[in-house]
Amino acid sequence: HNIMDSALLTLLLNNGYLIIFLLVFLYGPVITYAGGFLASLSLMNVWIVVLVTIFGNIIPDLVLFWIGKTSRTKTINKIADYLHLTAPRRKKIEKLLNKHIIKAVIIFKLIPGLAIPGMVLAGYSKTSTKKFTLISITYNIIAAIVFALLGFYSGIASTLFTTGKNLVIVLIVLVIVIYGLLKYFKNRVE
């Protein structure tokens, strides 16, 4: 176990930022959170994690958007035909995506597995490249900061559990909060 643990640690220390860059688009906030957590252990720098995450998301977003925009008439329409989406339905989907592109991008980015088809669909929707780029940059900056700092401060908070005294205090607070919530919801139901 020690040999494997030290090999993983060495791999992470030598290639951690590259690993984050390559995996962040597929696994999104989970990878950013993990990078922030590792930063709390002084294995990475939280601000470099933020920067790597931003670029690791924006680059594929723009490439996939471009694919959706340029392959619209061939690939996307073939897929739509295969899914039995009629021309009026395609127009409706296109109009909805264009109207609600900000919400769509947020949903696509937060739900695992939707980022890749979602960014292609965003390109299909005839949203302007400038508008999409601005949305992508804004979302990815905010998400990178939020999830990296959540991971970072979760890591710091986890060190509170290393002493028995702190664990007892946290458990007491947790019991009080849970009791209060249960009592509150019980009263609302009655």
Side-chain angles (χ1 to χ4, degrees):
H1 239 25
N2 278 342
I3 294 172
M4 193 163 93
D5 290 344
S6 82
L8 284 173
L9 185 60
T10 303
L11 177 71
L12 189 62
L13 289 173
N14 292 334
N15 305 300
Y17 298 114
L18 177 63
I19 292 168
I20 287 175
F21 181 81
L22 296 173
L23 292 179
V24 76
F25 186 72
L26 293 174
Y27 302 104
V30 173
I31 298 298
T32 308
Y33 181 91
F37 192 91
L38 291 171
S40 76
L41 302 174
S42 299
L43 296 174
M44 296 182 149
N45 178 307
V46 72
W47 298 112
I48 296 175
V49 168
V50 167
L51 284 174
V52 167
T53 299
I54 290 168
F55 288 108
N57 271 307
I58 290 173
I59 293 167
D61 283 0
L62 294 176
V63 168
L64 291 167
F65 178 83
W66 178 80
I67 289 169
K69 201 160 203 61
T70 58
S71 66
R72 170 185 177 80
T73 54
K74 294 179 184 173
T75 311
I76 303 294
N77 285 335
K78 283 182 185 177
I79 293 169
D81 289 340
Y82 177 77
L83 296 172
H84 304 292
L85 291 175
T86 61
R89 278 189 178 169
R90 287 183 218 172
K91 288 286 182 203
K92 188 175 181 180
I93 291 169
E94 194 176 296
K95 191 175 178 181
L96 278 171
L97 268 173
N98 200 16
K99 184 177 179 183
H100 301 286
I101 192 67
I102 295 171
K103 293 177 208 166
V105 167
I106 292 169
I107 290 168
F108 293 150
K109 296 294 284 182
L110 288 176
I111 298 176
L114 284 186
I116 293 171
M119 298 306 106
V120 173
L121 271 175
Y124 176 80
S125 74
K126 291 187 180 176
T127 298
S128 76
T129 303
K130 184 178 178 181
K131 183 177 181 180
F132 177 80
T133 302
L134 182 63
I135 293 167
S136 177
I137 289 170
T138 304
Y139 169 81
N140 285 308
I141 288 171
I142 292 168
I145 292 169
V146 167
F147 288 109
L149 291 179
L150 276 172
F152 183 78
Y153 288 113
S154 294
I156 289 173
S158 72
T159 61
L160 293 175
F161 296 113
T162 58
T163 65
K165 183 175 130 186
N166 289 336
L167 181 60
V168 170
I169 292 169
V170 169
L171 287 175
I172 289 170
V173 169
L174 225 98
V175 167
I176 292 169
V177 168
I178 291 171
Y179 174 76
L181 287 171
L182 288 173
K183 192 170 184 172
Y184 171 77
F185 285 114
K186 182 181 177 197
N187 290 339
R188 287 205 58 173
V189 171
E190 293 173 350

